[in-house]
Structure formats: structure tokens, C-alpha cells
């Protein structure tokens, strides 16, 4: 039985599965923890190639090879009537919802079966004059050669691309209560020409950005413009995190801190914040960040693992952390990616670190500051990058992060996400 969403119904919640955990099609038990964390770090850098309009990436660059479908969290959805299951990347850095579709004129190899629109009774292509087509202008919408069908095209920084028909289709989410949440007439991209560096393990993307084509924007008033998520730490025994919509997404109670959520009309996909400084112990380091996003200087993104900051700031932060760490033994990253690493024994004492957002001083835990590479190594989960500043998901773990789009606020609440 399907449940339809509206703000008065109390909202709904879904599971997010980390791409490297069991139950994910990307899971590879043969990979070492150190290598998986290294891959996640490189995917973080790869996101910049995709996000920054100023970057031109070389397709032979190993970082660029990871940008086309490099989100970190997956969501189980179904398309069509009857429902056709898809494991999709949930991505706050994308807007359009798309999957590969039959017939494929030029598609990348996909392990899972392709969605066949002809098998769905609820699938409808969208006309060029429709509002749905207009909403996809930022995704390169155009008309088919005969002028009858709206088409989309998305190109990524590594020269991968997807293009196909714009359609209205029933999208069904698996809620945590066990009742499916059916969303009829959701605007999606049905990709018939998709090529580049996409992984065969991937089946699609659910865009959760701020643009008009994203799932969040399409749900609109039915969820009151609210969503939230609570991501478990990488080393947690429980592999699933939680994403909430509507009234389920309200962040309230003791310990809540809020900061302005800043939009940039020229880049509507991204959620910008204003980070004023970061304190390491008593040392406060001013943050300039990226000169984009209007008054915002850093993007908050669930699909980027590390927190990316300018080189000069990273040097100051890394030096401050290293100076104030007591005990422990400094070591090297087995994969050679991270620059500041320690043996996590009982003698290691880390300094307190606070991220000073406008109006919100967010106190970070050791799990937000360091990422566990393996049982014997933890490394600073920040990385130098001068193109774009991104507040990554390690820094967000064990916080309930709430987005209130009508009020233009983002809220942080320290939370044990393994209990959500």
C-alpha cells in the first residue's frame, strides 16, 4: 500500500546507505579500509571538478576519473508502475533525478537491469512548452528534432555526460516505517545516451540540491521546504544513516544551533554557509573561503567526505592541530593521501575544535576532525583545495543537520545518529 506525502501527514524518513558498506552495490570486501578511505578522499577532490565552473579537468587525471557518480550515500527508490527498483546516489550537489533507460543509443555498462519506460503505465514524456521542461533549463533542456519531447543534457567536469528525455513518472521511496511513499508525476531524466567514467555499479542519481528540478524542490510545500539527515560515523557498526522530510525533519530541542542558509541565484544547486573562523584550542583562525555564493563562502555537501579549504587556511589549521596534540605517535597514511596522521592509542589527546559559522559555534568531536584510516591510523579529515571550499560529511557525522528552505536556515544538533 502506498502512502502519499503532505506536510500535515507528519512527514517521512528514509535510510541512507554508505556506498562502502554491506548492502551497497559498490561494496567490495577485498578492499582494505585504508584504500577505501583514500578513494573517498579522492572522490572529495573529484567533486570540485564537477562543482567548480572554473575548473577544467583532464580525463586522464585519476581524481577526475571519480567525478561522474561520486556521491557517498545511496537510497533505495523505485520508478514506474509497477515499481522498478533502483539503487540511486542521493546527492545534495545535484538537482536532476535520472537513470539509464531502454532503449540505449549509447550507454555505459550497468550491472543492474535498465529501466524500460514501455513497461510502466505511469510514464509520460514532457512537452517542450511545459513548466517541467522550463525548470530544467539549467540542465540544458531542449526540444527533440520533431519538437514534441523535452530533452535534457548534463555534462560533468570529467567529460562524462547523460542525455535523454524529460518525463513525469511515479517515484517511490522506501520509508523507515516499511510503507512505501509514492510520489506521482515526479520529473525525471530518462537517459538514453550516457557515457564517460560512470561506474557499472551505479543505477541513477536522486538530486537533492536547491535547483527547481531536485527532489526537494519538487516536493516543495508538501514537505514545508524542510529536510534533514543524520549520518553515522564511518567506523560505526550500524551502516545506515537517516534522511527526513517534512515534519519529521524539524530540528528542535536543547543544543540546536542555526546559521543562515545562503542561496546564489547563479548557482541554485548549492547550499552555501558563512564560515567565519575555526578555533583549535585557544587559537582562532579566520576563514575567507571561496569567493562565490554571494555572502556564503563554503558549500555544505553530504556527498563530499572531507572538508576542503584553501591551502593557506589548511596549513594554519594543520599546524595548530599538530602543535596542540598531546601524546600519541605521529605516523604516515598508508595510501599517501593524507598529510597529518597519528596512531590512535590511549595516550593521544586531541585539542578542542570549533567551527564558527555565522550565529552558530559548532563544537566538533574527534570523529569530525579525524577519519579512521584503519585500526592503527587516524588522519586529519581536512584537505587543501583552492578552487572551492566544501564542508564535508565527516564534519557532519553525529549531527542532525536540518535544512529549512523557507526560513533560509540550517540547523545543527549534536545527536547519536546510530539511534535515529
Amino acid at each position: 500500500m502506498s502512502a502519499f506525502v503532505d506536510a500535515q501527514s507528519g512527514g517521512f524518513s528514509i535510510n541512507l546507505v554508505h556506498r562502502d558498506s554491506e548492502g551497497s552495490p559498490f561494496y567490495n570486501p577485498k578492499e582494505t579500509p585504508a584504500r577505501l578511505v583514500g578513494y573517498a578522499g579522492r572522490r572529495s577532490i573529484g567533486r570540485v571538478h564537477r562543482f567548480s565552473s572554473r575548473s577544467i579537468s583532464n580525463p586522464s587525471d585519476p581524481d577526475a576519473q571519480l567525478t561522474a557518480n561520486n556521491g557517498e550515500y545511496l537510497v533505495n527508490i523505485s520508478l514506474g508502475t509497477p515499481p522498478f527498483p533502483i539503487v540511486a546516489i542521493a546527492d545534495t550537489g545535484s538537482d536532476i533525478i535520472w537513470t539509464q533507460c531502454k532503449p540505449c543509443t549509447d550507454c555505459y555498462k550497468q550491472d543492474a537491469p535498465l529501466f524500460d519506460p514501455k513497461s510502466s503505465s505511469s510514464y509520460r514524456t514532457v512537452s517542450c512548452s511545459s513548466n517541467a521542461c522550463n525548470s530544467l533549463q539549467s540542465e540544458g533542456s531542449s526540444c527533440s528534432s520533431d519538437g514534441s519531447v523535452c530533452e535534457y543534457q548534463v555534462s560533468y567536469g570529467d567529460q562524462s555526460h547523460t542525455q535523454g528525455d524529460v518525463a513525469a513518472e511515479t517515484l517511490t521511496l522506501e520509508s523507515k516505517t516499511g510503507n512505501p511513499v509514492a510520489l506521482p508525476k515526479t520529473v525525471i531524466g530518462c537517459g538514453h545516451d550516457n557515457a564517460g567514467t560512470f561506474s557499472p555499479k551505479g543505477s541513477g542519481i536522486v538530486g537533492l540540491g536547491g535547483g527547481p528540478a531536485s527532489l526537494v524542490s519538487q516536493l516543495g510545500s508538501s514537505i514545508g521546504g524542510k529536510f534533514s539527515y543524520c549520518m553515522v560515523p564511518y567506523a560505526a557498526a550500524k551502516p545506515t544513516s537517516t534522511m527526513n522530510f517534512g515534519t519529521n525533519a524539524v530540528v528542535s530541542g536543547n543544543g540546536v544551533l542555526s546559521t543562515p542558509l545562503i542561496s546564489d541565484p547563479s548557482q541554485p544547486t548549492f547550499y552555501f554557509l558563512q564560515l567565519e573562523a575555526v578555533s583549535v584550542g585557544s587559537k582562532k583562525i579566520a576563514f575567507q573561503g571561496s569567493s562565490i555564493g554571494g555572502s556564503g563562502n563554503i558549500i555544505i555537501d553530504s556527498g563530499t567526505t572531507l572538508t576542503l579549504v584553501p591551502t593557506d587556511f589548511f596549513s594554519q589549521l594543520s599546524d595548530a592541530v599538530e602543535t596542540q596534540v598531546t601524546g600519541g605517535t605521529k605516523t604516515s597514511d598508508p595510501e599517501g593521501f593524507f598529510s597529518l596522521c597519528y596512531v590512535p592509542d590511549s595516550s593521544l589527546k586531541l585539542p578542542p575544535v570549533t567551527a564558527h559559522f555565522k550565529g552558530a559555534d559548532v563544537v566538533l568531536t574527534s570523529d569530525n576532525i579525524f577519519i579512521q584510516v584503519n585500526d592503527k591510523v587516524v588522519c586529519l579529515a581536512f584537505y587543501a583545495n583552492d578552487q572551492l571550499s566544501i564542508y564535508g560529511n565527516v564534519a557532519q557525522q553525529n549531527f542532525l543537520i536540518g535544512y529549512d528552505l523557507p526560513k533560509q536556515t540550517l540547523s545543527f544538533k549534536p545527536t547519536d545518529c546510530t539511534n535515529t
Side-chain angles (χ1 to χ4, degrees), residues 349-397:
K349 305 298 181 187
L350 303 176
V353 175
T354 301
H356 301 282
F357 293 98
K358 184 176 181 179
D361 295 332
V362 179
V363 178
L364 304 179
T365 70
S366 58
D367 286 337
N368 301 130
I369 305 161
F370 280 81
I371 188 168
Q372 187 167 341
V373 173
N374 58 37
D375 291 341
K376 298 180 180 179
V377 180
V378 294
C379 298
L380 185 65
F382 289 71
Y383 200 85
N385 183 275
D386 291 318
Q387 289 179 308
L388 205 58
S389 298
I390 300 176
Y391 193 70
N393 62 48
V394 171
Q396 301 174 56
Q397 289 169 1

Side-chain angles (χ1 to χ4, degrees), residues 70-398:
N70 64 356
E72 296 299 302
Y73 290 90
L74 308 174
V75 59
N76 290 306
I77 68 170
S78 296
L79 288 178
T81 307
F84 179 86
I86 291 172
V87 180
I89 292 171
D91 190 3
T92 54
S94 296
D95 286 329
I96 191 169
I97 303 163
W98 72 268
T99 189
Q100 292 202 112
C101 293
K102 293 181 178 180
C104 260
T105 55
D106 182 15
C107 284
Y108 66 90
K109 182 183 181 297
Q110 177 178 303
D111 292 346
L114 299 184
F115 175 63
D116 186 353
K118 292 182 178 179
S119 298
S120 171
S121 62
S122 51
Y123 181 90
R124 300 288 185 275
T125 54
V126 166
S127 70
C128 297
S129 60
S130 66
N131 291 333
C133 191
N134 291 333
S135 74
L136 284 167
Q137 286 182 354
S138 62
E139 309 293 351
S141 64
S142 61
C143 273
S144 58
S145 56
D146 62 4
S148 63
V149 177
C150 180
E151 298 180 336
Y152 79 96
Q153 179 173 347
V154 177
S155 297
Y156 297 99
D158 62 349
Q159 301 180 20
S160 297
H161 71 268
T162 173
Q163 62 187 66
D165 296 337
V166 178
E169 179 60 291
T170 297
L171 184 149
T172 303
L173 298 167
E174 293 184 10
S175 76
K176 289 176 72 73
T177 64
N179 293 320
V181 181
L183 309 172
K185 299 181 180 178
T186 301
V187 177
I188 67 165
C190 202
H192 300 291
D193 181 353
N194 319 286
T197 60
F198 298 103
S199 167
K201 303 294 184 185
S203 301
I205 291 178
V206 174
L208 297 166
S214 78
L215 177 63
V216 171
S217 296
Q218 290 193 59
L219 286 170
S221 60
S222 72
I223 59 168
K226 297 180 181 68
F227 71 98
S228 66
Y229 50 75
C230 202
M231 293 182 288
V232 301
Y234 274 54
K238 175 191 173 186
T240 56
S241 298
T242 300
M243 188 165 203
N244 311 294
F245 297 89
T247 52
N248 283 27
V250 173
V251 180
S252 60
N254 295 331
V256 176
L257 297 169
S258 296
T259 188
L261 192 58
I262 301 163
S263 59
D264 179 357
S266 68
Q267 301 179 88
T269 300
F270 305 126
Y271 300 106
F272 290 96
L273 306 177
Q274 185 175 347
L275 179 62
E276 297 174 338
V278 174
S279 292
V280 180
S282 60
K283 183 175 179 59
K284 194 171 187 178
I285 308 165
F287 184 81
Q288 298 299 321
S290 308
S291 57
I292 57 173
S295 59
N297 60 4
I298 191 166
I299 292 168
I300 183 167
D301 180 40
S302 65
T304 301
T305 300
L306 306 180
T307 293
L308 306 180
V309 294
T311 301
D312 179 62
F313 181 87
F314 175 80
S315 297
Q316 294 181 68
L317 178 71
S318 180
D319 289 346
V321 171
E322 184 175 3
T323 299
Q324 297 187 51
V325 164
T326 59
T329 303
K330 191 176 178 183
T331 188
S332 58
D333 171 19
E335 293 297 309
F337 182 81
F338 297 97
S339 60
L340 182 61
C341 303
Y342 292 90
V343 176
D345 59 31
S346 59
S347 68
L348 179 64
K349 305 298 181 187
L350 303 176
V353 175
T354 301
H356 301 282
F357 293 98
K358 184 176 181 179
D361 295 332
V362 179
V363 178
L364 304 179
T365 70
S366 58
D367 286 337
N368 301 130
I369 305 161
F370 280 81
I371 188 168
Q372 187 167 341
V373 173
N374 58 37
D375 291 341
K376 298 180 180 179
V377 180
V378 294
C379 298
L380 185 65
F382 289 71
Y383 200 85
N385 183 275
D386 291 318
Q387 289 179 308
L388 205 58
S389 298
I390 300 176
Y391 193 70
N393 62 48
V394 171
Q396 301 174 56
Q397 289 169 1
N398 271 346

